Each structure stands twice: as C-alpha cells, then as structure tokens.
C-alpha cells in the first residue's frame, strides 16, 4: 500500500498505546475529508507556510480505514519481542512496585497476560506497523518533529507514559511529566527553523511533555472547571518554531453536554490562536468505561496477574443507560467532536486537526485496566 509520512507515523504511534487506536465503524465521507490535510489561505498562514513549508500529506485512506474492523489475537512472540518495556520510567513508587514490578512469569504467562494481545486488522492493506525506537526516530526526523506533547485526561497520561517507557525516556527537570529521548539522524535533516541542511549523523533530542487538563467535573455533582491550556504546556508548545506533534482530548470528565460543547469550541479556538501552522495536531476520542472490570481489589495477586480475554467484537460491549458516571454519553461527545473538527478543517482554520478515534477498539479491552479501584 502507499504509506505517506504522516500515515506511517500514525501507525507507529498507535502502538504506544497498550490497547491500540483506530476505529471499528465505517467512516463517513465527510469524516474522511475532515482527517485529510487542507491548504490554508489566510495571510498569517501563507507567511508561515513560506517559512516552514506545508504540513505533511495525511490523506492516505488507511489513516481513516485502518481499524474499521478487526480483533485482538494472542501472540506470545509479539509479547516477547515488542510487548515489554526495557526501561520503566513510569509508574514509580510503591504502587508501581506492588503491581507492575511484582509479576512472576509462569508456564501459561511468561509475561503479563494483557501484553500478549496484538491487533489484527481485517483489512490486509492497513495493518499496524510495530513501533521500534529506530522506526519512530526515522519518522520523527523525516517530519522534523522537535517536540511531542499530550494534553488531556488520565488515558492521555497513559499514552505519554507508555511512549516514554517504550522509547527509554529520561525525566527532565522539576516537571513530573516532562521527559526526552534521543534519535540519531540520517545525513540529511530538515529543520524548519534553519531550513533544509545537510550534516553528518548527529544525536537529536526529542522533548516530550504531558499536561493534565482541568476542564469538566470530577464527579457528576461537583463544580464545573473551565478548560484551558496550562502555562507549562503553552510554554512547551511555543518555545521554538520547530514542528510540534500534539495529542489533545477532553470528554471523560464532562457530565453536561453544553459544557462539553463550549470547551471543545474553546480548544479549537485556542489552537488556532497559537498560529502554529507547521504543527501536527490530533484529537483523541474519549474512550469507553467498563463496569465490573478486574482487578477490583487492592488484595489482587499481581504476582499471578490476570487471565482475562478481550471482547471479540463491539457488539459484546455493554454500558448502562443512563450510567451513573455518564459513560453512555461518550459516543455523543465523540460524534460532536468529529463534527466540530470537520467544520474547523473545512473553514481552513489552522492548524488542521486530525480525528483519532479509539472508542470501539478500546471497548474490546476490558481486560487492560491496570489499577484496582477499591
């Protein structure tokens, strides 16, 4: 298949999640348009494009069609070669030692059971590439990505920590969620700030940041908080003109649809106001919750681990209607976000936002929750 630079990165990036990305519902024609890059026409955008060049082409059909249908299959070779972290940057402390750090291999589970499942797409042309440090670096340097940030809820934080654990990230400075990893460039390295230059192979540091948004409500009856980008994240994004790759999310902590609409609108207006047409931004959909998921006790035997099998298809997923935590509203939130992103891109607002739908795929992984809840 034809794999554009942006599409290939999308595939690699999906593997940083424990249970993957992509969607299982056939995308509409409009959503396909929403997820492809569009030319930007206003004066400020033209100025930036003259300096930085156009964003990568992200119109490959697999960007939206990969994951339309598939399943999770158990593959211990995958678990052995790709499912484990050589270095554990996160989580640290007593909880991490008691859970992730205490697993004891056995004949039926040489590695934690939940790491043994690999996504198999029924579309043979849109399989997910396995992410390695070298492949990730190759794509990032081809795209001239200087920094990566994640801004959203606890799952967004898990995406950040998974990426850092996979790539051997090292914590930086006073920040709880600020890290970096190094890539060795090829002889030719495109720098947006310096122009295309040729140099010997050198080590390039990629900075990575996670910020926790404070929008929505902690519980259905708590006071509303207003979404905004915190100062640390804003400073991280704007510290230089080099290209940034960003992943946003809001939704899981919203219990009022009006509040969600208002803050989603503010999110898109905020990124437009940054006027960073060179950047690559993704909106990650809100993932489903799972009632009764295991483990549910702090006395759980983490040495043995779980033996839970993922759901086979989305039709097996169940959520109470109405749900006490409003989980039944998440698909409505996601549909609204997709529509707003489509309109944002149609209006040539900058930068283009790409819609990253993980809902159905994540729904199958009721086995992949990592923390006891009581």
């Amino acid at each position: 298949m034809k794999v554009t630079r942006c599409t290939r990165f999308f595939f690699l990036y999906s593997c940083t999640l424990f249970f993957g990305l992509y969607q299982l519902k056939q995308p509409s024609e409009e959503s396909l348009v929403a997820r492809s890059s569009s030319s930007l026409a206003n004066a400020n955008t033209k100025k930036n494009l003259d300096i930085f060049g156009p964003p990568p082409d992200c119109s490959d059909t697999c960007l939206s069609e990969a994951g339309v249908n598939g399943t999770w299959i158990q593959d211990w070779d995958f678990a052995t070669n790709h499912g484990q972290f050589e270095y554990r940057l996160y989580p640290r402390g007593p909880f991490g030692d008691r859970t992730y750090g205490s697993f004891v291999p056995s004949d039926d589970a040489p590695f934690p059971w939940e790491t043994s499942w690999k996504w198999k797409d029924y579309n043979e042309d849109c399989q997910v590439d396995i992410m390695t440090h070298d492949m990730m670096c190759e794509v990032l340097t081809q795209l001239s990505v200087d920094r990566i940030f994640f801004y959203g809820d606890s799952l967004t934080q898990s995406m950040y920590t998974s990426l850092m654990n996979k790539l051997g990230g090292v914590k930086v400075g006073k920040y709880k969620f600020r890290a970096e990893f190094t890539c060795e460039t090829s002889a030719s390295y495109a720098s947006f700030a310096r122009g295309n230059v040729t140099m010997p192979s050198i080590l390039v540091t990629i900075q990575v940041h996670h910020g926790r948004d404070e929008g929505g409500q902690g519980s259905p009856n708590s006071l509303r908080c207003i979404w905004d980008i915190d100062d640390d994240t804003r400073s991280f994004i704007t510290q230089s003109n080099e290209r940034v790759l960003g992943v946003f999310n809001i939704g899981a902590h919203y219990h009022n649809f009006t509040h969600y609409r208002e803050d989603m609108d503010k999110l898109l207006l905020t990124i437009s106001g940054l006027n960073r047409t060179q950047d690559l931004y993704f909106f990650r959909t809100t993932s489903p919750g799972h009632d009764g998921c295991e483990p549910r006790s702090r006395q759980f035997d983490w040495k043995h681990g779980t033996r839970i099998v993922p759901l086979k298809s989305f039709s097996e997923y169940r959520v109470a209607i109405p749900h006490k935590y409003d989980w039944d509203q998440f698909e409505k939130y996601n549909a609204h976000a997709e529509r707003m992103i489509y309109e944002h891109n149609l209006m040539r607002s900058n930068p283009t936002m790409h819609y990253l739908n993980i809902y159905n795929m994540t729904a199958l992984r009721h086995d992949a929750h990592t923390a006891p809840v009581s």
Side-chain angles (χ1 to χ4, degrees):
M1 71 176 175
K2 176 186 176 183
V3 180
T4 64
R5 293 184 300 166
C6 190
T7 303
R8 186 178 178 206
F9 177 82
F10 185 89
F11 288 172
L12 297 175
Y13 170 75
S14 72
C15 297
T16 68
L17 263 184
F18 202 63
F19 23 57
L21 306 175
Y22 302 125
Q23 60 182 359
L24 300 182
K25 294 184 292 186
Q26 179 65 44
S28 66
E29 181 177 352
E30 288 182 337
S31 65
L32 287 175
V33 174
R35 296 166 200 155
S36 62
S37 296
S38 57
S39 58
L40 309 175
N42 62 59
N44 288 334
T45 296
K46 185 178 185 302
K47 179 180 179 181
N48 277 0
L49 291 181
D50 289 342
I51 298 173
F52 302 118
D57 175 22
C58 294
S59 58
D60 190 284
T61 56
C62 281
L63 182 61
S64 55
E65 292 180 3
V68 169
N69 203 4
T71 189
W72 295 94
I73 59 173
Q74 194 165 39
D75 185 335
W76 286 107
D77 287 336
F78 170 81
T80 302
N81 296 320
H82 305 291
Q84 313 309 311
F85 298 137
E86 184 176 356
Y87 307 100
R88 194 186 81 199
L89 181 62
Y90 300 100
R92 295 291 190 182
F95 175 77
D97 293 336
R98 187 175 71 249
T99 56
Y100 310 99
S102 65
F103 176 77
V104 177
S106 61
D107 290 342
D108 68 326
F111 299 101
W113 187 267
E114 62 271 18
T115 69
S116 67
W117 301 93
K118 180 178 70 174
W119 177 253
K120 171 66 175 177
D121 202 293
Y122 292 148
N123 185 340
E124 293 296 334
D125 291 332
C126 295
Q127 298 302 318
V128 178
D129 289 342
I130 303 299
M131 188 190 77
T132 66
H133 183 280
D134 289 345
M135 292 179 71
M136 187 75 163
C137 285
E138 178 187 344
V139 173
L140 291 175
T141 54
Q142 285 178 359
L143 293 174
S144 299
V145 170
D146 178 73
R147 304 182 300 286
I148 303 172
F149 74 88
F150 300 83
Y151 197 70
D153 59 16
S154 58
L155 181 59
T156 309
Q157 178 179 314
S158 293
M159 296 170 73
Y160 161 83
T161 59
S162 178
L163 181 69
M164 289 298 90
N165 286 341
K166 182 69 174 176
L167 299 181
V170 178
K171 289 187 71 174
V172 174
K174 64 179 181 179
Y175 301 99
K176 183 177 181 181
F177 294 109
R178 179 77 61 86
E180 62 185 27
F181 64 96
T182 57
C183 291
E184 184 174 357
T185 71
S186 59
S188 179
Y189 175 59
S191 165
F192 280 105
R194 297 182 296 273
N196 292 336
V197 297
T198 300
M199 62 182 70
S201 294
I202 61 171
L203 290 179
V204 174
T205 298
I206 307 296
Q207 300 178 61
V208 189
H209 169 84
H210 163 68
R212 185 70 176 265
D213 84 89
E214 301 296 333
Q217 300 162 269
S219 65
N221 297 318
S222 61
L223 294 176
R224 180 198 180 187
C225 296
I226 305 298
W227 184 92
D228 204 351
I229 294 182
D230 66 71
D231 291 340
D232 286 341
T233 302
R234 187 182 292 269
S235 175
F236 181 84
I237 296 171
T238 60
Q239 66 182 266
S240 81
N241 285 331
E242 298 287 358
R243 171 171 284 159
V244 178
L245 188 146
V247 180
F248 292 92
N249 165 263
I250 62 171
H253 300 291
Y254 285 78
H255 304 278
N256 182 299
F257 185 52
T258 299
H259 296 168
Y260 180 81
R261 288 187 304 180
E262 291 172 351
D263 284 0
M264 188 67 203
D265 185 58
K266 185 176 182 181
L267 186 158
L268 293 173
L269 288 173
T270 298
I271 66 166
S272 292
L274 295 174
N275 194 33
R276 295 185 57 86
T277 58
Q278 69 271 36
D279 290 349
L280 294 171
Y281 291 159
F282 295 83
F283 180 85
R284 190 265 300 166
T285 59
T286 299
S287 62
H290 296 95
D291 282 314
C293 61
E294 300 291 342
R296 298 192 62 79
S297 170
R298 293 192 182 276
Q299 283 68 52
F300 179 77
D301 183 4
W302 286 98
K303 292 182 179 180
H304 180 263
T306 66
R307 298 295 188 274
I308 308 171
V309 176
L311 303 178
K312 292 295 185 184
S313 68
F314 184 74
S315 62
E316 298 179 47
Y317 175 69
R318 298 288 184 273
V319 61
I321 302 175
H323 193 277
K324 61 181 178 180
Y325 299 126
D326 298 311
W327 291 352
D328 57 311
Q329 297 298 304
F330 289 175
E331 287 193 276
K332 179 180 179 180
Y333 293 170
N334 290 337
H336 180 73
E338 183 174 21
R339 169 55 57 182
M340 291 191 71
I341 290 168
Y342 169 71
E343 293 175 352
H344 168 88
N345 295 339
L346 190 66
M347 293 170 62
R348 305 296 191 260
S349 299
N350 67 80
T352 297
M353 177 72 82
H354 302 282
Y355 185 73
L356 195 60
N357 192 342
I358 69 166
Y359 185 87
N360 290 27
M361 207 176 188
T362 309
L364 305 185
R365 295 307 304 271
H366 66 130
D367 64 304
H369 294 268
T370 58
V373 297
S374 63

